[in-house]
Amino acid sequence: SMQERYLEALISDIQQTGREQRYTIHTVFCGGGTPSLYSPQQIDRVFQACRQAFNWKPVEVTIEANPGTVTAESLQGYHDIGIHRISLGVQALQEHLLQSLNRIHSTADVSQAVQWARQAGYKNLSLDLIYGLPGQQLQDWDDTLDLVLSLEPEHFSIYQLIVEPGTRLESQIKTREIHLPPEGRMLRMDSVGRQRMRQEGYRPYEISNWTKPGFHSRHNRIYWQDRPYLGLGCGATGFVNGWRIRRILHPEIYARVLNKGGSPISSCEKMGFQNALRDCLMMGLRTCWGVSFRRLTQRFPEFNLAKLRYALSELPDNWFEWKQENAQPIALRLTRKGADFATTVQHALMESIL
């Protein structure tokens, strides 16, 4: 079966990567589509390959799952093989809204999945939500928030819908077959979401991510702190030794190449100074930890704090705050006001360093 061929290819990919270098693995995220369509036994084979290829010491292992694709047994099985965090792709609860995302699940599926996960022993659940869906009303968003907050997960990721170029969604919007909510409603949804999260004791540690104390995603923090990670499997992107490495996108071609002993890499891009700096600033500014000057200076010896201060003096003071230690600035982070102008701040920082 295609599933079996793909698994074998993924295992070859892991073995090839392990032969290059015996990387130490601290966190694992099984994502990209619907890994919950694979059984716990199949995913365990992937983990076994990782144990042989790498220095395998994960402190956090997450699987992405769609509410309609899990059972009490599969969730128990994932827990038994060492996956202790689940990210459930709830997105929305209204069927007409889910259709535009090609998702089919009901409110009952979501509550059931959370209940099964708790029974299986999961103490770290994250729910993904999307607002700004075609035809979404404020009432829909309120109802969704009511239900998901009543489930009391440890973590939420809340994104505004991004219409990717070349997708069916984009052409439906262009031909006015469906309509996105007006800007004002989008802003209202954003502020209602933030308000409700805070009321229920969640705190943002990154512009789109909310957590109860102690449950931030350690894996995501690696991206935001601009640290290296491996991307294995079709369509995966990794960031290793300053190189952005992409794998073949199409699963059939990916499997065919690997099962013949070929390399699954489709492109490698050495991150130039400007791009690397842009990513480092953009990712850091989005988080509550901010951009650490020590890390900036390590990665970019040309970085100059005085020039940075000068660039920021052009911007409103209430957009950012300096974190101090022994009266020395150690990091810069955005305030809630500044978060709305993240791109403007990022441009000013880029100017100051280039």
Side-chain angles (χ1 to χ4, degrees):
S1 72
M2 178 58 212
Q3 230 187 4
E4 190 48 44
R5 286 207 309 281
Y6 178 73
L7 264 186
E8 282 170 13
L10 177 56
I11 289 169
S12 310
D13 191 354
I14 291 164
Q15 291 164 340
Q16 272 191 25
T17 308
R19 284 196 287 273
E20 286 163 28
Q21 192 178 328
R22 200 172 170 81
Y23 298 100
T24 298
I25 306 299
H26 300 287
T27 63
V28 180
F29 192 93
C30 311
T34 315
S36 54
L37 294 174
Y38 286 83
S39 71
Q41 292 71 24
Q42 289 175 311
I43 292 179
D44 198 32
R45 281 169 49 198
V46 174
F47 288 175
Q48 295 294 354
C50 289
R51 282 191 189 93
Q52 286 165 357
F54 307 124
N55 190 10
W56 182 253
K57 296 182 171 173
V59 290
E60 179 188 272
V61 183
T62 305
I63 190 168
E64 244 176 8
N66 289 348
T69 62
V70 292
T71 61
E73 294 70 37
S74 68
L75 288 173
Q76 187 63 62
Y78 295 136
H79 197 272
D80 293 344
I81 62 169
I83 300 177
H84 290 164
R85 184 172 181 274
I86 301 181
S87 173
L88 269 187
V90 175
Q91 322 312 6
L93 295 174
Q94 295 75 17
E95 270 171 47
H96 64 282
L97 298 180
L98 286 167
Q99 279 165 0
S100 64
L101 297 169
N102 294 327
R103 292 293 180 88
I104 310 155
H105 58 249
S106 64
T107 303
D109 290 334
V110 174
S111 306
Q112 184 66 84
V114 169
Q115 193 189 340
W116 284 335
R118 294 300 191 202
Q119 284 165 0
Y122 285 91
K123 296 185 174 49
N124 193 348
L125 294 182
S126 177
L127 303 189
D128 281 11
L129 303 175
I130 296 181
Y131 66 91
L133 296 166
Q136 191 175 30
Q137 302 298 326
L138 274 172
Q139 190 57 55
D140 295 325
W141 182 230
D142 272 338
D143 294 344
T144 298
L145 290 169
D146 283 342
L147 180 95
V148 294
L149 285 164
S150 75
L151 298 171
E152 301 187 351
E154 283 66 33
H155 184 284
F156 281 105
S157 296
I158 304 179
Y159 301 102
Q160 185 177 329
L161 178 69
I162 294 172
V163 180
E164 300 287 355
T167 55
R168 180 164 160 252
L169 191 56
E170 187 196 37
S171 62
Q172 287 176 309
I173 289 165
K174 276 189 174 155
T175 58
R176 308 188 72 76
E177 187 187 326
I178 55 179
H179 301 272
L180 290 178
E183 185 73 15
R185 194 189 306 159
M186 293 267 212
L187 290 169
R188 185 83 194 103
M189 286 180 186
D190 179 53
S191 75
V192 167
R194 291 174 176 281
Q195 204 177 340
R196 296 287 306 273
M197 288 291 143
R198 282 189 179 276
Q199 280 167 355
E200 299 293 329
Y202 294 89
R203 292 291 171 263
Y205 64 99
E206 193 271 347
I207 290 178
S208 307
N209 285 273
W210 295 77
T211 180
K212 286 185 175 170
F215 287 98
H216 70 263
S217 160
R218 297 184 184 199
H219 185 78
N220 286 352
R221 194 172 171 179
I222 288 170
Y223 303 142
W224 297 320
Q225 293 188 329
D226 209 28
R227 293 175 188 274
Y229 53 91
L230 291 174
L232 304 165
C234 65
T237 299
F239 178 55
V240 184
N241 300 327
W243 289 83
R244 176 94 53 233
I245 301 168
R246 290 190 174 83
R247 295 283 194 273
I248 295 168
L249 187 59
H250 198 289
E252 287 273 4
I253 301 171
Y254 169 87
R256 198 177 316 143
V257 167
L258 272 154
N259 294 334
K260 285 184 176 162
S263 162
I265 292 172
S266 63
S267 75
C268 287
E269 174 198 359
K270 181 73 175 165
M271 294 296 279
F273 173 69
Q274 261 178 304
N275 287 347
L277 180 64
R278 188 196 61 223
D279 284 4
C280 188
L281 292 172
M282 192 169 80
M283 296 298 201
L285 284 172
R286 289 179 60 103
T287 71
C288 66
W289 301 286
V291 174
S292 145
F293 298 135
R294 203 186 73 221
R295 296 224 41 214
L296 263 186
T297 330
Q298 274 171 359
R299 281 203 57 189
F300 309 105
E302 1 356 47
F303 170 74
N304 176 328
L305 191 59
K307 276 166 94 178
L308 174 81
R309 294 201 135 176
Y310 180 72
L312 292 176
S313 65
E314 313 275 295
L315 302 172
D317 278 349
N318 63 351
W319 282 11
F320 47 83
E321 56 191 12
W322 300 88
K323 285 169 86 172
Q324 305 266 346
E325 210 171 77
N326 306 329
Q328 291 300 308
I330 55 162
L332 176 74
R333 67 177 186 189
L334 294 180
T335 58
R336 282 166 73 182
K337 181 91 186 128
D340 296 335
F341 300 96
T343 347
T344 315
V345 177
Q346 183 205 330
H347 285 311
L349 297 185
M350 293 285 290
E351 298 282 294
S352 73
I353 296 173
L354 300 178

